[in-house]
Amino acid sequence: MPQPRVKLVVTGDDFGYCRRRNRGIMECFKAKAISNASLLVNGSAAKEAAAMATRNKVPLGLHANLSEGLPVCEQLRVGSTLVNKDGFFHGKMGIREVLESGHINLAEIDKELRQQVDLFCELTGHLPHHMDGHQHIHVLPGIRDVFAQVLSDYGIVYTRIPVEPGLHCCNRITQQLMDFYLQVEKDAFNSIDVFQRHGIRWPDVYIGLTTMGRNMSLPAIQATIENAIASRNAKQHRLLDIFPATAAQRPEDTILTMELMVHPGYSSFPEEGGCGQGPDGFSLSADRFHELETLQAPKLLKYYEQRNIQLCAFSDL
């Protein structure tokens, strides 16, 4: 049986977060190390990022943000359930705590998400090619239902389901981070039916939790991709054994689609960037630059070529 042909969407998240993030994402795109980007429309450099994407024909999606910085909708900055006493979103863990307590108004979630889509269209001149959530907020209980309806209403057909092969046996991740990732995975599994009911799609394989920041390496990326290819090969062999004629008549099944979530860039300067309240620790660290260097490494680009892995956008799937 021929080896599967892989279509890999390499998405640079947080485009628009700051000018140094924009610079790193554009360098990676021009080097053909990423093939797609997702825009934070409440980022301090979102307008610059959108202009860069337009000039350089970067396939662009929306990285919907309900956890960091200021809401796009000014009416929600004071007195809404989405913000704290200072008018900022509750934070990565804070939104999860407030949601669990039952104190989030989902109508406000709906309003903010629609305003972010509208602002994306205003900045870029087109709808997002895909839409996911900053810090995986789009798979949270309750929010997932609103998110799916917004996607359906706007005709945005692709999202991200952060369920990563090999997560459970990864030994590079701290226990605290692993606990968070396992909860993200659980929420993502519970989102599948919701998105399917609304006709929303996503790639066959997601990669990005175990290869984030300092955990990104050529061997880590290769191992995850190879495991996914091996799993698809085994599945096709089983299909051939059970339904030989049917399997042989479906050549499209040999195309394996994947998304690799990445965060390349240059370390943010203190007090510069972010989504209204300055850059976070991850952005100030050297992890962003480490990802940038890893993604542009000639060995990784050669690996894609040798394994017949085609980097593409969501619109190419």
Side-chain angles (χ1 to χ4, degrees):
M1 175 178 295
Q3 176 179 294
R5 182 163 60 91
V6 177
K7 287 188 173 182
L8 176 66
V9 181
V10 185
T11 303
D13 276 0
D14 302 342
F15 201 29
Y17 192 86
C18 68
R19 296 184 68 183
R20 287 171 65 79
R21 182 71 45 74
N22 292 351
R23 175 186 164 193
I25 285 176
M26 284 310 309
E27 284 185 12
C28 282
F29 181 76
K30 291 178 179 179
K32 299 183 178 180
I34 68 170
S35 56
N36 191 64
S38 58
L39 181 67
L40 280 168
V41 293
N42 73 333
S44 66
K47 187 174 181 179
E48 178 196 67
M52 286 177 162
T54 299
R55 286 197 306 270
N56 294 278
K57 296 181 172 55
V58 181
L60 205 58
L62 173 59
H63 203 44
N65 186 1
L66 300 173
S67 57
E68 182 179 356
L70 290 166
V72 164
C73 180
E74 294 186 6
Q75 295 175 343
L76 297 175
R77 293 179 181 178
V78 179
S80 81
T81 63
L82 304 189
V83 299
N84 59 24
K85 60 182 177 60
D86 298 314
F88 296 117
F89 287 130
H90 294 291
K92 181 172 77 171
M93 302 310 297
I95 188 175
R96 288 165 165 84
E97 293 165 2
V98 176
L99 186 65
E100 188 173 357
S101 72
H103 293 152
I104 287 284
N105 183 337
L106 294 178
E108 293 175 346
I109 295 285
D110 181 83
K111 186 173 185 177
E112 175 64 18
L113 288 176
R114 292 177 190 275
Q115 290 254 340
Q116 291 192 22
V117 176
D118 291 344
L119 180 55
F120 180 99
C121 295
E122 180 183 326
L123 290 171
T124 66
H126 62 80
L127 280 167
H129 297 148
H130 62 97
M131 180 170 160
D132 56 49
H134 184 50
Q135 297 170 339
H136 310 291
I137 53 87
H138 64 301
V139 296
L140 290 174
I143 293 178
R144 64 174 74 111
D145 301 271
V146 178
F147 203 93
Q149 187 62 58
V150 170
L151 290 176
S152 178
D153 289 349
Y154 278 91
I156 303 167
V157 297
Y158 280 105
T159 191
R160 169 185 293 163
I161 298 294
V163 175
E164 181 167 345
L167 172 63
H168 291 246
C169 58
C170 181
N171 58 11
R172 299 186 300 274
I173 299 172
T174 64
Q175 188 58 54
Q176 182 181 13
L177 195 55
M178 178 62 81
D179 290 343
F180 175 71
Y181 286 167
L182 292 177
Q183 185 59 53
V184 168
E185 180 186 67
K186 179 181 177 181
D187 291 334
F189 270 122
N190 291 333
S191 300
I192 290 174
D193 286 345
V194 175
F195 286 117
Q196 284 180 333
R197 285 200 305 271
H198 287 82
I200 310 303
R201 305 195 296 271
W202 53 90
D204 300 322
V205 177
Y206 164 84
I207 309 169
L209 299 178
T210 64
T211 56
M212 188 170 171
R214 70 192 65 183
N215 291 320
M216 179 179 283
S217 66
L218 174 58
I221 294 173
Q222 283 181 311
T224 306
I225 291 175
E226 293 301 325
N227 287 340
I229 292 173
S231 176
R232 173 55 66 92
N233 271 336
K235 179 179 179 181
Q236 289 186 329
H237 278 295
R238 289 195 297 272
L239 283 173
L240 280 173
D241 290 340
I242 302 170
F243 307 110
T246 303
Q249 292 168 5
R250 294 179 59 86
E252 68 273 16
D253 287 346
T254 64
I255 299 175
L256 183 64
T257 61
M258 303 185 191
E259 184 192 13
L260 171 59
M261 176 192 76
V262 299
H263 302 82
Y266 292 88
S267 301
S268 300
F269 292 134
E271 309 303 324
E272 182 178 314
C275 300
Q277 57 187 140
D280 62 12
F282 184 33
S283 296
L284 293 168
S285 74
D287 289 357
R288 302 283 185 168
F289 185 66
H290 171 72
E291 288 199 22
L292 183 147
E293 287 191 310
T294 304
L295 291 166
Q296 294 190 67
K299 285 185 177 180
L300 180 57
L301 301 182
K302 187 66 175 177
Y303 164 74
Y304 293 148
E305 180 183 347
Q306 291 174 337
R307 295 294 277 146
N308 194 23
I309 296 171
Q310 174 194 347
L311 268 62
C312 66
F314 279 92
S315 58
D316 301 317
L317 297 181

